[in-house]
Amino acid sequence: MRFIRNSFMWGVLCGAFIVMALYGGSAVAEQFARTIAVHQYPVSFYINGEKVNPKDTRPGYFFNGKAEVPLSFIYKGTTYVPIRFIGESLGQEVGWDGNSYSVWVGDKPARFLKSSEAPNQPSVVEESSTVYGIRTGDSVDRVREILGNPDRRDFSHIGVEWWIYKKDPEHYMQVGIRDGKVETIYSNGTGWQYEKVKMGMTLDRLTQIWGDPEAKLYITDSFRIEQDGGGEKLIYKKNGRVIVLYLDRLDSNKVRGIRVSTPELFMRTVPSGFSYAYRDPADIQLPELTEQERARAESSYEKQMWDLTNVIRYRHGLPILQYNDQVAAIAKSHSQDMYQNNFVSHQSPTTGGLMDRLKRSPLPVSAFGENIAVGYVDAIDAVEGLMNSQGHRENILNDYANEMGAGVILRSNASYTHFYTQNFYYNQNR
């Protein structure tokens, strides 16, 4: 069977930097030894907001398994703390290998495992293939164990239920669940790391670690993606998972977000900007939705656009925006208008311009802005795309608005598919 080709698509202590000096064993070569003068002060330690103290030692000291040693000292402005104290305070095992002068916290590295230990240890690669401890294939019980209950559960048009974790903008996360298992994960928070790639990494550093993405990447034997490696997103396949890395084209192509999916889900949710070819149309078949289900998915994506915008604003040191249902109603009406009348513009043939729409609403006339987009698979794809357009980015990072609303229409007409409108409003009463 031949491939069917699809055309190109668009669409630690908080607040302190701690350096832990690792000195171990008396076998350090003589040429590395020297005498230094340090200052020893009584330092209090807090982890996750709670004070921690060493057990069964004098104040200011720590028993390292062999002797009492200073709990901390200061040398040239840097505070040094025994890594065993930090590790054990976090409930992690701390180990030392005197032959290679290596130390570890948590799981013992594979290179130091005895053959009898190896079968019972998780692989190093597999342990790093997570976003905030979660990987595709995990059970909902595992998700709850690691992340707790979600702040919101969103219906989607792609066959997963999105579990939204939004209370901490630095660790914002969406986990897509189907049949009790994780099928997809997304984060644009600041703290994620996935197989040595992390938020804010440059494109050059990324390709040093992972290499260049394949120009023709086979997701399965019957489905391939074509990419030139120079766009806003890069797609890799690693350990049976498909990883989309979102790049900030307007900030030196730094890595800005990550989405990890099973191959089966990825084939149904190819992000904008990629051509793909397939043999079996069933590979890309999305669930058929009732009108009620479509409305639920649209509402989910409207709230996700709000969440994602606020995470981005938080990263840039800007105040978060409150959601205004009346602003959202203006946005929804414009998306519906673009769908029904087959156009993409801020100027409508039926409702006029942006200020015309505002004046007809119950809202007082005030500062108002608008982003529109079409052709994106979902809210994640849309907001990531908007941030790579200078004018849309300026709206998202504006300093004039204190509220926003979004309107999404998940339909296709003769020319376009999926319509997104995002409105920003200054409420003078806030």
Side-chain angles (χ1 to χ4, degrees), residues 9-20:
M9 295 179 60
W10 279 113
V12 172
L13 300 183
C14 185
F17 181 73
I18 299 177
V19 176
M20 301 175 197

Side-chain angles (χ1 to χ4, degrees), residues 227-295:
Q227 56 184 335
D228 60 12
E232 302 173 358
K233 316 171 190 76
L234 300 180
I235 300 177
Y236 292 85
K237 186 179 180 186
K238 299 174 70 66
N239 302 311
R241 301 176 176 94
V242 183
I243 302 101
V244 180
L245 295 175
Y246 297 91
L247 305 180
D248 194 333
R249 194 174 63 183
L250 301 178
D251 186 12
S252 305
N253 282 323
K254 293 177 182 176
V255 176
R256 188 173 59 207
I258 185 171
R259 187 167 183 169
V260 184
S261 303
T262 62
E264 293 75 18
L265 186 70
F266 174 84
M267 290 187 292
R268 301 195 303 273
T269 57
V270 177
S272 62
F274 294 92
S275 298
Y276 59 90
Y278 58 93
R279 289 195 181 104
D280 187 350
D283 286 344
I284 63 171
Q285 188 72 41
L286 286 168
E288 291 207 14
L289 303 181
T290 65
E291 288 302 309
Q292 183 180 20
E293 289 172 333
R294 189 186 309 279

Side-chain angles (χ1 to χ4, degrees), residues 8 29 46 105 108 139 176 191 270 298 305 316 323 344 395 410 417:
F8 191 80
Y46 295 83
V105 177
K108 195 173 185 179
S139 67
V270 177
E298 291 171 349
M305 291 186 76
H316 286 82
Y323 201 80
V344 177
N395 268 342
L410 296 175
T417 182

Side-chain angles (χ1 to χ4, degrees), residues 161-189:
E161 180 182 68
W162 281 113
W163 287 21
I164 310 296
Y165 293 87
K166 57 175 286 185
K167 287 180 181 176
D168 179 3
E170 292 190 359
H171 298 88
Y172 179 85
M173 190 170 180
Q174 295 187 200
V175 182
I177 306 290
R178 187 173 70 161
D179 297 332
K181 299 287 186 180
V182 176
E183 282 222 1
T184 185
I185 306 162
Y186 168 81
S187 179
N188 66 345

Side-chain angles (χ1 to χ4, degrees), residues 64-281:
N64 67 5
K66 294 183 179 180
E68 284 189 350
V69 296
L71 181 56
S72 66
F73 61 83
I74 299 173
Y75 175 61
K76 291 188 176 182
T78 297
T79 301
Y80 294 82
V81 184
I83 196 169
R84 182 177 296 278
F85 170 66
I86 297 296
E88 291 179 352
S89 297
L90 293 170
Q92 298 290 321
E93 177 186 356
V94 178
W96 165 257
D97 180 77
N99 294 321
S100 61
Y101 301 109
S102 299
V103 67
W104 60 87
V105 177
D107 293 334
K108 195 173 185 179
R111 61 178 293 197
F112 301 122
L113 293 175
K114 299 176 183 177
S115 58
S116 60
E117 296 177 295
N120 298 320
Q121 298 294 326
S123 74
V124 175
V125 171
E126 189 68 11
E127 282 299 301
S128 67
S129 301
T130 69
V131 179
Y132 298 128
I134 303 300
R135 66 171 64 89
T136 57
D138 280 348
S139 67
V140 292
D141 290 339
R142 171 70 174 172
V143 176
R144 286 196 180 98
E145 178 186 348
I146 299 297
L147 302 177
N149 288 320
D151 301 308
R152 194 177 70 240
R153 295 166 65 162
D154 285 353
F155 186 81
S156 79
H157 79 294
I158 62 175
V160 301
E161 180 182 68
W162 281 113
W163 287 21
I164 310 296
Y165 293 87
K166 57 175 286 185
K167 287 180 181 176
D168 179 3
E170 292 190 359
H171 298 88
Y172 179 85
M173 190 170 180
Q174 295 187 200
V175 182
I177 306 290
R178 187 173 70 161
D179 297 332
K181 299 287 186 180
V182 176
E183 282 222 1
T184 185
I185 306 162
Y186 168 81
S187 179
N188 66 345
T190 58
W192 64 265
Q193 181 167 323
Y194 190 94
E195 295 193 20
K196 300 182 180 179
V197 169
K198 58 185 179 181
M199 181 78 166
M201 179 174 284
T202 65
L203 177 58
D204 286 345
R205 181 59 180 151
L206 164 63
T207 55
Q208 286 176 5
I209 297 172
W210 280 13
D212 293 323
E214 296 181 39
K216 292 186 177 182
L217 177 64
Y218 279 82
I219 305 303
T220 66
D221 290 341
S222 60
F223 189 101
R224 72 168 184 260
I225 284 286
E226 298 184 12
Q227 56 184 335
D228 60 12
E232 302 173 358
K233 316 171 190 76
L234 300 180
I235 300 177
Y236 292 85
K237 186 179 180 186
K238 299 174 70 66
N239 302 311
R241 301 176 176 94
V242 183
I243 302 101
V244 180
L245 295 175
Y246 297 91
L247 305 180
D248 194 333
R249 194 174 63 183
L250 301 178
D251 186 12
S252 305
N253 282 323
K254 293 177 182 176
V255 176
R256 188 173 59 207
I258 185 171
R259 187 167 183 169
V260 184
S261 303
T262 62
E264 293 75 18
L265 186 70
F266 174 84
M267 290 187 292
R268 301 195 303 273
T269 57
V270 177
S272 62
F274 294 92
S275 298
Y276 59 90
Y278 58 93
R279 289 195 181 104
D280 187 350

